[in-house]
Amino acid sequence: MANPTPPPLRGEFCVETVPQSCGLVIFGASGDLVHRKLLPSLFSLCEKGLLQRTFYVLGYARTEMSDDDFRATVRADLTQRFPAADPAHVDSFVACCHYHVGGYDQPADFAALARRLQQLDAQYSLSGRHLFYLAVPPTLFGAIANLLRQAGLTAETGDTWARLLVEKPFGRDLASAMALDRELRQALAESQIYRIDHYLAKETVQNILVLRFGNAVFEPLWNRRFIDHVQITVAESLGVEERGGYFDHAGLLRDMVQNHLLQLLAMVAMEPPVSFEADRVRDERVRLLRAVRPLPPAEVVRGQYTAGTIAGHPVRAYREEDKIAPDSRRETFVAARLWVDNWRWQGVPFYLRVGKRLPRRVSEIGIVFRPVPHSIFAPLSQEDLHPNVLRLNVQPDEGVALTIQAKHPGPRLCLSRLTMDFTYQEVFGQEPPEAYERLLLDCMLGDQTLFVRHDDMEIAWSLFTPIVEAWEAEGEPEEYAAGTWGPAGADKLIEEDGREWLPL
Ligand code: BG6
């Protein structure tokens, strides 16, 4: 493919590596995520010149389809997503896409897959470097890994490699996640398993580490002496859309808190790693998660949306959505107060809130600093001086904002709050790339920094399994109307500490 070289970032230091060529096998190739995220991300990497010219995609699924049928679906995805793309680039990408019909439980199907990969490797002059992406239900993960091993597709020798990318949900609780993990690790080494949490690959989430450890001004303040509390909000205006069947089985705690929210917390609160190597960064994330105090179910608020209005449009109640049980007790909102028991964070609450059908899509981390110790601006008291807040906007207006106190111009002493901020769009002139671009690229490069390690996953499940179990056993979520910021219990949780949610 012709790959235009991206313009260099303005005089900044850039570490960029183009991975070795490889074949990408996508199990569950007809799935929504594959067409919405995965293939467009791969195309975008090609357009940026971040992939070798020789690579291929092999879609694998039970659905009968020819190479040409599959290519037609890929072309439709790309032309819809990149209307301005050069048609020649689309053509050459589509030509690299192939399709293979097969099931997920028969050794014969995997032997046939191995033969097909041999043919494709020969056609593309590649030698046994394969990335297997599991976009299938987790109940199939173990069987697929095992059949890949039996077919000789997981062996690594010299210059060849085999890597397995797995989507969440990774288990339903600690026991099932550990059982699944054992199955995967019987077939592959930990260094071959890439567990996805796409929040870790969001540009702004990675930027947390650069902000903290690439600048000297923040880190000295980044502790209990200067920070009063931290708020992490992930709000979505969407409901469960077409994923009712999955969601009503999982609920939001499993879907987003145990993984995305906890990883955001780890990035904000972890200690500096000794280097930016994958395992050094992951060691620190794990060390931080080990310090999170187990939280009693009673301290976690769960909510479920009823009918309401979002952006002027009426929306249905959760229980009236497609494929949702009419008496479902699943939570679509969670708020929690977490404590991190270590020297840096002792006594600093971390408030998390996440919900579906909230007024708008916004994900933000707010670091609220302690107030000044004394006001010299009488009659203004200490309480009149608003504490500084550093807001890390994860999406949609990716950027950073710091609120400070400033004197209003004029003879009188008038203080007002102002914001120093930047957005990625303004500074870099481009939207941050899709998280899946980074995940695919890193997996091809063999860099596991942004993937969840087995101990990371284990701790996350041990923290939240008691809560999912308690919620399965009894109780009901609190109601909140769609288009509001969640149930009353979420406000009570923070207000009982004398604080309030930051306005979004
Ligand atoms: C997914 C959850 O992992 O993350 C979805 O399964 C959620 O329920 C999605 O909507 C949110 O991701 P993003 O990148 O749109 O914030």
Side-chain angles (χ1 to χ4, degrees):
M1 299 193 58
N3 290 323
T5 311
L9 294 174
R10 298 190 207 159
E12 279 138 14
F13 182 69
C14 235
V15 184
E16 224 171 59
T17 324
V18 174
Q20 293 174 303
S21 4
C22 63
L24 166 63
V25 182
I26 305 173
F27 290 101
S30 43
D32 176 55
L33 186 85
V34 172
H35 292 274
R36 233 172 2 96
K37 302 271 189 187
L38 209 58
L39 292 166
S41 296
L42 206 60
F43 178 73
S44 181
L45 286 172
C46 292
E47 289 290 272
K48 292 173 183 166
L50 292 172
L51 288 190
Q52 298 278 2
R53 280 157 175 266
T54 44
F55 76 91
Y56 64 84
V57 174
L58 180 66
Y60 182 107
R62 281 186 284 236
T63 316
E64 289 285 343
M65 218 193 285
S66 66
D67 277 359
D68 284 343
D69 295 341
F70 182 58
R71 287 180 184 142
T73 64
V74 177
R75 182 184 298 283
D77 297 335
L78 298 185
T79 38
Q80 187 198 0
R81 174 74 190 274
F82 304 101
D86 182 335
H89 292 196
V90 175
D91 286 348
S92 66
F93 182 89
V94 167
C96 295
C97 295
H98 305 263
Y99 188 79
H100 188 86
V101 185
Y104 300 113
D105 54 2
Q106 293 303 320
D109 286 342
F110 281 69
L113 170 64
R115 288 194 296 278
R116 181 83 193 265
L117 291 179
Q118 257 178 3
Q119 283 166 9
L120 287 169
D121 283 358
Q123 182 182 334
Y124 285 82
S125 306
L126 298 177
S127 53
R129 285 190 291 268
H130 301 132
L131 199 153
F132 299 102
Y133 191 102
L134 303 192
V136 291
T139 43
L140 299 173
F141 290 176
I144 293 178
N146 186 30
L147 289 166
L148 285 172
R149 184 186 60 78
Q150 285 178 27
L153 289 170
T154 56
E156 296 190 314
T157 48
D159 206 22
T160 71
W161 48 252
R163 296 176 187 146
L164 192 78
L165 269 158
V166 285
E167 273 293 342
K168 56 173 262 289
F170 199 87
R172 284 185 57 73
D173 52 18
L174 181 59
S176 57
M178 296 310 289
L180 176 54
D181 207 47
R182 272 194 301 278
E183 281 190 90
L184 292 190
R185 293 205 287 148
Q186 274 162 11
L188 298 116
E190 174 67 21
S191 59
Q192 295 177 282
I193 304 173
Y194 290 69
R195 299 178 196 81
I196 294 179
D197 184 319
H198 78 282
Y199 264 62
L200 282 176
K202 285 187 186 278
E203 194 73 11
T204 27
V205 175
Q206 293 164 58
N207 200 36
I208 296 171
L209 294 191
V210 178
L211 185 88
R212 289 186 57 196
F213 305 130
N215 297 292
V217 292
F218 297 109
E219 203 45 26
L221 308 178
W222 212 262
N223 58 55
R224 63 192 299 277
R225 289 179 57 213
F226 296 97
I227 292 179
D228 177 73
H229 72 281
V230 176
Q231 299 188 15
I232 303 180
T233 301
V234 175
E236 292 184 282
S237 55
L238 291 179
V240 292
E241 312 305 302
E242 299 84 37
R243 298 163 73 230
Y246 151 76
F247 192 88
D248 207 37
H249 188 55
L252 200 61
L253 195 78
R254 289 187 179 97
D255 186 48
M256 294 186 76
V257 181
Q258 175 271 345
N259 33 58
H260 306 331
L261 275 278
L262 204 58
Q263 293 296 349
L264 289 180
L265 182 143
M267 297 293 259
V268 172
M270 67 192 246
E271 295 298 314
V274 291
S275 73
F276 205 55
E277 274 169 55
D279 270 328
R280 300 299 74 78
V281 175
R282 302 199 299 173
D283 286 348
E284 292 306 334
R285 283 211 304 264
V286 168
R287 222 149 65 92
L288 186 281
L289 294 182
R290 281 192 208 291
V292 174
R293 190 184 304 168
L295 56 171
E299 291 212 359
V300 188
V301 175
R302 58 175 150 160
Q304 187 189 82
Y305 61 84
T306 56
T309 307
I310 297 186
H313 300 290
V315 296
R316 289 184 284 178
Y318 176 70
R319 289 179 180 186
E320 288 160 15
E321 301 268 24
D322 296 340
K323 300 193 190 134
I324 304 295
D327 56 351
S328 172
R329 294 191 296 127
R330 282 295 171 217
E331 73 286 356
T332 59
F333 178 98
V334 176
R337 174 177 40 225
L338 269 69
W339 301 96
V340 177
D341 286 331
N342 64 14
W343 275 51
R344 186 188 283 263
W345 295 115
Q346 195 52 239
V348 178
F350 287 77
Y351 300 99
L352 312 184
R353 105 182 122 149
V354 50
K356 300 225 177 255
R357 287 286 191 227
L358 301 189
R360 62 194 185 89
R361 176 173 185 254
V362 53
S363 299
E364 185 188 276
I365 299 166
I367 315 286
V368 182
F369 288 88
R370 289 191 182 282
V372 292
H374 161 73
S375 168
I376 62 166
F377 305 113
L380 292 180
S381 71
Q382 189 203 10
E383 285 78 42
D384 295 323
L385 301 177
H386 293 284
N388 303 114
V389 180
L390 179 67
R391 301 170 86 127
L392 312 176
N393 301 324
V394 175
Q395 59 192 24
D397 301 318
E398 292 85 353
V400 176
L402 176 67
T403 55
I404 57 171
Q405 298 282 344
K407 181 183 170 299
H408 218 82
R412 286 173 49 230
L413 183 65
C414 266
L415 297 191
S416 61
R417 252 189 297 188
L418 65 83
T419 304
M420 299 197 296
D421 61 2
F422 79 87
T423 66
Y424 279 81
Q425 178 71 48
E426 283 164 11
V427 177
F428 298 105
Q430 58 184 24
E431 294 282 340
E434 168 62 56
Y436 279 85
E437 286 183 32
R438 185 61 197 266
L439 292 170
L440 285 169
L441 189 65
D442 281 6
C443 184
M444 291 180 195
L445 288 166
D447 182 345
Q448 293 186 305
T449 312
L450 302 177
F451 294 87
V452 177
R453 204 166 61 185
H454 70 101
D455 46 357
D456 202 332
M457 180 272 303
E458 182 179 351
I459 299 165
W461 272 122
S462 26
L463 280 169
F464 288 104
T465 295
I467 299 165
V468 289
E469 283 172 352
W471 287 358
E472 297 279 353
E474 59 179 9
E476 293 263 337
E478 269 184 65
E479 291 182 352
Y480 63 98
T484 65
W485 288 104
D491 293 333
K492 190 163 158 274
L493 176 89
I494 193 164
E495 284 164 8
E496 67 196 14
D497 294 347
R499 303 185 173 100
E500 57 189 27
W501 294 110
L502 295 168
L504 294 167

